[in-house]
Amino acid sequence: MIGWTDAAPPFKTPLIERCEAALALPLKDQTVETMRLLLGQGIAIDMLLPRALDILELDILASGDLYEGDLLASCQRLSASYWREHPDHWVRLDSILRDFDQKVDQVNKERAGFMANNPFGAKL
């Protein structure tokens, strides 16, 4: 169980209830969605980000319940102060993003050849 960093919240909202449910899970049972949710709220970053980065190394577009790549978006939105305090995590995420950029560049190069051989003559 991860737990709240301070005292319990002063009042319940659906978001707080979802966060509490996610915090009640052991770290090994955190899902992409629960990590996306907690990281997006700035909760338990030190514990969750290394696992999130492990997932992003395997699937940069891993998604929770919002949209494809929402875990990556939650990680990218972490504060500059967090990244300054954890440069090793910043370097790791930067490496993941650079690897993805290289893959996208390769896909676009291949796509140019594919489009040049378009038997329909026009862009579709």
Side-chain angles (χ1 to χ4, degrees):
M1 177 160 98
I2 297 172
W4 288 104
T5 55
D6 299 316
F11 54 90
K12 299 273 186 179
T13 66
L15 177 60
I16 289 173
E17 289 174 352
R18 289 178 56 218
C19 289
E20 285 181 335
L23 288 168
L25 295 172
L27 185 58
K28 67 179 180 59
D29 294 335
Q30 294 292 324
T31 65
V32 170
E33 172 58 17
T34 59
M35 286 187 285
R36 178 209 60 82
L37 174 69
L38 294 172
L39 289 169
Q41 296 302 310
I43 299 170
I45 299 169
D46 289 337
M47 286 193 236
L48 295 173
L49 188 60
R51 183 146 190 262
L53 294 174
D54 289 344
I55 290 168
L56 293 173
E57 285 175 337
L58 297 174
D59 179 8
I60 195 166
L61 298 178
S63 59
D65 293 347
L66 293 181
Y67 54 88
E68 194 171 23
D70 59 8
L71 179 61
L72 174 62
S74 288
C75 293
Q76 288 180 296
R77 291 183 188 125
L78 294 175
S79 70
S81 63
Y82 177 82
W83 295 121
R84 276 192 297 279
E85 293 173 18
H86 301 87
D88 54 324
H89 292 166
W90 187 93
V91 167
R92 194 166 167 207
L93 182 55
D94 182 59
S95 175
I96 292 166
L97 291 166
R98 286 177 189 272
D99 182 57
F100 183 67
D101 287 343
Q102 289 176 349
K103 290 175 184 173
V104 169
D105 287 346
Q106 185 60 42
V107 167
N108 286 332
K109 286 176 188 170
E110 296 295 332
R111 183 169 189 242
F114 171 74
M115 293 307 289
N117 294 321
N118 181 349
F120 304 104
K123 290 187 178 184
L124 301 177

